[in-house]
Amino acid sequence: MTTRRAKGETVGSIMKNEFLAVSDELTVEETIKHFRTASLEKVSKPSYIYVVDPRGYLVGVVQMRDLLSHSPNVHVRDIMLKNVVKVHAEMDQEEAVRYFIRHRFLALPVVNNEQKLVGIITADEMVDIAELEAEDDIAKIIGTGVDEITTHSIRRIVRLRLPWLAISILSGLACAFILGWFERDMKSVIALALFIPIVLGLSESTGMQSATIVVRNMALGRAALKDVRWLLQKEMVVGVIVGLICGMLVGGAATLWQANSNLGAALAISMSISIILSGVVGSCLPFLFRFVRIDPALSSGPIVLATCDIITLLIYFKISAFFLSGS
Amino acid sequence: MTTRRAKGETVGSIMKNEFLAVSDELTVEETIKHFRTASLEKVSKPSYIYVVDPRGYLVGVVQMRDLLSHSPNVHVRDIMLKNVVKVHAEMDQEEAVRYFIRHRFLALPVVNNEQKLVGIITADEMVDIAELEAEDDIAKIIGTGVDEITTHSIRRIVRLRLPWLAISILSGLACAFILGWFERDMKSVIALALFIPIVLGLSESTGMQSATIVVRNMALGRAALKDVRWLLQKEMVVGVIVGLICGMLVGGAATLWQANSNLGAALAISMSISIILSGVVGSCLPFLFRFVRIDPALSSGPIVLATCDIITLLIYFKISAFFLSGS
């Protein structure tokens, strides 16, 4: 078993010192000599040789191949690549993962506030982190954390799950309270109660699916404000299609089973509307959380579920009251 | 924006030909010459130089550093590392991710059925794949797929979500049917209907949390049959703690609000039992799916939800009937 890294760390805390840096005043021959005599650790991750100026600023990068194919007396500053992609020591490791995915380098140099070269991060380390970050976002949405995947501590698991369950309890009590308003409707048409699980279930699924997609798009850096409109439009269209299909199927089934076409119509219409709205809720709330600087992954799950449940119950009973008041 | 890879591919379909391989009969000097004159692409990912015997079998690996620190006339076979970690071209890319996380290499050689060196896979490519595999497992559990995160096709999204929603509809209709058995109980104590959402909601959360943890443990290669007992025990203990806390809170709230201590007791007991069972269902079903060779990630979500819902409703109404029959 491998040890997994913690998440949410900065590049500075995961970087390594095993890199090769040479002065930009060295020649190719001197650089090769430096490479040959450097301690084993520094070259065991071969990748790149970084070039720094007298102040320690990162000014370029060369590869072994460039050294071997140039005359020994050339200066490295004349053959180095000057446009170095680098990361900052205080950058979040998740952002560093994006750099690796975008640029596909085997290693990236790390600079501090003064632009001085202080370390490297290598792609092999990022494989683990990439997996961890993706897992954690979605683990949070369903109300746990990535730690739970590998921890053996019951106490830790309970602590990860309880805040989420606390919101579920509050939201469930709110649902009970709202259902209390419609006690009389349910007493007269008890069939209304039978369909509570299905009506809620489909709204919840839709809301969670949208929220997960938006949260991951945010992590992938694809959810700028200009994308909000697109994500919303997409959810609306998907919601209309899925809502109509589910509404008609369930409405049809209810009509046949309960021999009550008014109930069927109420179910079809309220499920269609609430599925559409749940998709919108699921795609908007993560943006709202990000705007108020709350972790969208952490808050989206339970709050999207609570919002979808409450909206759905209100729609279901209001529409049913309209259709069934005469029956 | 970067293009993301498809998932579920083999190592053979993602490997690259840009590697350096030399015959084991070459000397250090000849190898350096080979390195220097090789095409740029082959050395742009510097990493390792692989050594093959006359039949093309992979027999060793050397690093640039080893070449530069040895006498030019030594044979590479005398300085190479012989115990090469390699992957098979037909290995699933997700398994290759595990190799990178376990061994932390920048590149791994790929061999075919005849053990001949046919390509390499590099760590920078695996960052993307690691993220994708983790995302996909959990996206499937909540009823969509990793494709949805980046696709722009409404058709594709609807197709990803519909099978899951179809199972939700069937399970919701089953719930309605089961509730039908208890129509009389609800008519006499309508408060029973008010708590359907909260009772179902907490069971569903618990079931989904357990299933997600088990599915990711499977993907991480940590869910052998010997681990089943541990995972189950863990879920049982967590279920007992979480179930008792939630049951007492909701039971207490219901007692105060409805001024009905029998209802409160029924809620407390049935929620505790159904939360414990939901944790067990969530942790066992993925193993069952793996046993019958169905993708545990794909099937766990909707089937765990359906099972938890049905079990929970039965427990809730059976226990309530016992407590409220006299009231």
Side-chain angles (χ1 to χ4, degrees):
Chain A
M1 291 198 185
T2 51
T3 325
R4 309 189 90 208
R5 296 190 163 283
K7 72 159 298 280
E9 294 187 2
T10 62
V11 164
S13 68
I14 57 163
M15 72 185 183
K16 288 178 290 192
N17 310 322
E18 295 133 26
F19 61 91
L20 272 182
V22 296
S23 154
D24 61 349
E25 285 163 12
L26 257 52
T27 62
V28 164
E29 190 176 18
E30 288 162 337
T31 306
I32 293 178
K33 197 174 155 199
H34 185 90
F35 181 82
R36 188 179 294 168
T37 56
S39 74
L40 190 64
E41 301 76 47
K42 301 219 175 213
V43 286
S44 67
K45 302 279 184 195
S47 47
Y48 312 102
I49 300 164
Y50 299 102
V51 185
V52 291
D53 71 7
R55 296 167 303 176
Y57 289 18
L58 176 65
V59 292
V61 59
V62 285
Q63 292 192 41
M64 202 57 216
R65 141 128 208 156
D66 305 322
L67 295 176
L68 292 174
S69 60
H70 279 93
S71 139
N73 300 320
V74 175
H75 276 89
V76 282
R77 66 165 163 254
D78 296 323
I79 60 163
M80 71 189 183
L81 186 78
K82 289 195 183 71
N83 230 334
V84 191
V85 176
K86 59 195 175 222
V87 293
H88 197 280
E90 276 160 32
M91 182 186 274
D92 187 87
Q93 63 183 9
E94 182 164 4
E95 211 181 325
V97 166
R98 306 260 75 77
Y99 269 71
F100 274 93
I101 291 178
R102 200 174 311 133
H103 299 290
R104 305 210 183 271
F105 286 121
L106 288 172
L108 284 175
V110 183
V111 295
N112 65 9
N113 280 328
E114 293 100 52
Q115 297 298 311
K116 282 188 184 161
L117 179 63
V118 290
I120 58 165
I121 47 175
T122 53
D124 56 335
E125 301 282 335
M126 304 314 276
V127 177
D128 205 0
I129 294 170
E131 185 171 65
L132 208 61
E133 299 281 357
E135 266 175 353
D136 199 51
D137 265 2
I138 321 193
K140 278 180 187 165
I141 288 183
I142 65 142
T144 176
V146 74
D147 293 0
E148 200 191 319
I149 294 173
T150 49
T151 189
H152 282 220
S153 154
I154 300 283
R155 199 195 174 107
R156 178 102 194 88
I157 298 175
V158 172
R159 273 186 53 196
L160 277 170
R161 294 193 189 177
L162 273 186
W164 204 93
L165 294 173
I167 301 181
S168 282
I169 291 178
L170 287 178
S171 125
L173 290 175
C175 287
F177 193 71
I178 291 171
L179 285 173
W181 300 343
F182 304 103
E183 266 191 18
R184 225 160 32 127
D185 299 293
M186 281 193 280
K187 274 218 169 207
S188 65
V189 187
I190 196 71
L192 278 177
L194 311 188
F195 293 95
I196 293 174
I198 200 170
V199 171
L200 290 182
L202 287 162
S203 291
E204 288 170 355
S205 306
T206 308
M208 290 294 264
Q209 287 163 350
S210 311
T212 307
I213 300 306
V214 170
V215 166
R216 281 309 297 163
N217 266 301
M218 282 180 173
L220 297 171
R222 288 166 191 256
L225 272 180
K226 69 175 173 54
D227 303 314
V228 180
R229 228 183 89 192
W230 148 246
L231 281 163
L232 250 169
Q233 273 178 352
K234 194 179 74 168
E235 273 311 322
M236 296 275 287
V237 179
V238 172
V240 169
I241 298 172
V242 169
L244 287 177
I245 295 175
C246 295
M248 287 193 302
L249 283 174
V250 176
T255 306
L256 291 175
W257 178 34
Q258 297 283 325
N260 183 341
S261 61
N262 280 341
L263 176 68
L267 272 167
I269 295 174
S270 56
M271 281 185 73
S272 305
I273 297 177
S274 56
I275 286 173
I276 297 169
L277 288 181
S278 298
V280 172
V281 165
S283 38
C284 289
L285 280 185
F287 286 102
L288 182 70
F289 295 130
R290 189 173 61 171
F291 186 72
V292 296
R293 292 173 192 284
I294 301 175
D295 179 356
L298 199 59
S299 36
S300 291
I303 298 178
V304 164
L305 277 184
T307 315
C308 291
D309 281 354
I310 291 169
I311 292 177
T312 301
L313 283 182
L314 287 173
I315 291 172
Y316 175 48
F317 279 96
K318 285 286 175 198
I319 288 180
S320 301
F322 176 80
F323 273 88
L324 297 167
S325 58
S327 66
Chain B
M1 291 197 185
T2 49
T3 325
R4 309 190 90 209
R5 296 190 164 283
K7 71 159 298 281
E9 294 186 2
T10 61
V11 164
S13 67
I14 58 163
M15 71 184 183
K16 289 178 292 195
N17 310 323
E18 295 131 28
F19 62 90
L20 271 181
V22 296
S23 155
D24 61 348
E25 284 163 12
L26 259 52
T27 63
V28 163
E29 189 176 18
E30 288 162 337
T31 306
I32 294 177
K33 198 174 156 200
H34 184 89
F35 182 81
R36 189 178 293 169
T37 55
S39 74
L40 190 62
E41 301 76 48
K42 300 219 176 215
V43 286
S44 66
K45 301 279 182 194
S47 46
Y48 313 101
I49 300 163
Y50 299 102
V51 185
V52 291
D53 71 8
R55 297 164 303 175
Y57 288 20
L58 176 65
V59 291
V61 58
V62 285
Q63 292 191 43
M64 202 57 217
R65 137 122 211 164
D66 305 321
L67 295 177
L68 292 173
S69 59
H70 278 93
S71 143
N73 300 321
V74 176
H75 277 89
V76 281
R77 66 166 161 253
D78 296 323
I79 61 164
M80 71 189 184
L81 187 77
K82 290 193 183 74
N83 230 334
V84 191
V85 176
K86 60 196 174 220
V87 292
H88 198 278
E90 275 160 34
M91 183 186 277
D92 187 86
Q93 62 182 10
E94 182 165 3
E95 209 182 326
V97 165
R98 305 260 75 79
Y99 269 72
F100 274 92
I101 291 178
R102 199 173 313 134
H103 298 290
R104 305 210 182 271
F105 287 121
L106 289 171
L108 284 175
V110 182
V111 296
N112 65 9
N113 280 327
E114 292 100 50
Q115 297 298 312
K116 282 189 183 160
L117 178 64
V118 290
I120 57 164
I121 49 175
T122 53
D124 56 335
E125 302 282 335
M126 304 314 276
V127 177
D128 205 0
I129 293 169
E131 186 170 65
L132 208 61
E133 299 280 359
E135 266 176 352
D136 199 51
D137 266 2
I138 322 194
K140 278 180 187 165
I141 288 182
I142 65 141
T144 176
V146 75
D147 293 0
E148 198 190 322
I149 294 174
T150 49
T151 189
H152 283 220
S153 154
I154 300 283
R155 200 195 173 105
R156 178 104 193 85
I157 298 175
V158 172
R159 273 186 52 196
L160 277 169
R161 293 193 190 177
L162 274 185
W164 205 92
L165 294 173
I167 300 181
S168 283
I169 290 178
L170 287 179
S171 122
L173 289 175
C175 287
F177 192 73
I178 290 171
L179 285 173
W181 299 344
F182 303 103
E183 264 191 21
R184 225 159 33 127
D185 298 293
M186 281 193 278
K187 274 218 171 210
S188 65
V189 188
I190 196 71
L192 278 177
L194 310 188
F195 293 94
I196 292 173
I198 199 169
V199 171
L200 290 182
L202 287 163
S203 291
E204 288 170 354
S205 306
T206 307
M208 290 295 264
Q209 287 163 349
S210 311
T212 306
I213 299 308
V214 170
V215 166
R216 281 309 297 164
N217 265 302
M218 282 180 174
L220 296 171
R222 287 165 192 258
L225 272 181
K226 70 176 172 54
D227 302 314
V228 179
R229 227 184 90 189
W230 147 246
L231 282 163
L232 250 169
Q233 273 177 352
K234 193 179 74 170
E235 272 312 321
M236 295 276 287
V237 179
V238 172
V240 169
I241 298 171
V242 169
L244 286 176
I245 296 176
C246 294
M248 287 196 300
L249 284 174
V250 176
T255 305
L256 292 175
W257 178 34
Q258 297 282 324
N260 184 340
S261 61
N262 280 342
L263 177 66
L267 273 167
I269 295 172
S270 56
M271 283 184 73
S272 304
I273 297 176
S274 56
I275 286 173
I276 296 169
L277 288 181
S278 298
V280 172
V281 165
S283 38
C284 290
L285 280 185
F287 285 102
L288 181 70
F289 295 130
R290 189 172 63 169
F291 186 72
V292 297
R293 294 176 191 283
I294 302 174
D295 179 356
L298 198 60
S299 36
S300 291
I303 297 177
V304 165
L305 276 184
T307 314
C308 291
D309 281 355
I310 290 169
I311 291 178
T312 301
L313 282 182
L314 287 172
I315 291 171
Y316 175 48
F317 279 95
K318 286 285 176 199
I319 288 180
S320 301
F322 177 78
F323 273 88
L324 297 167
S325 58
S327 68

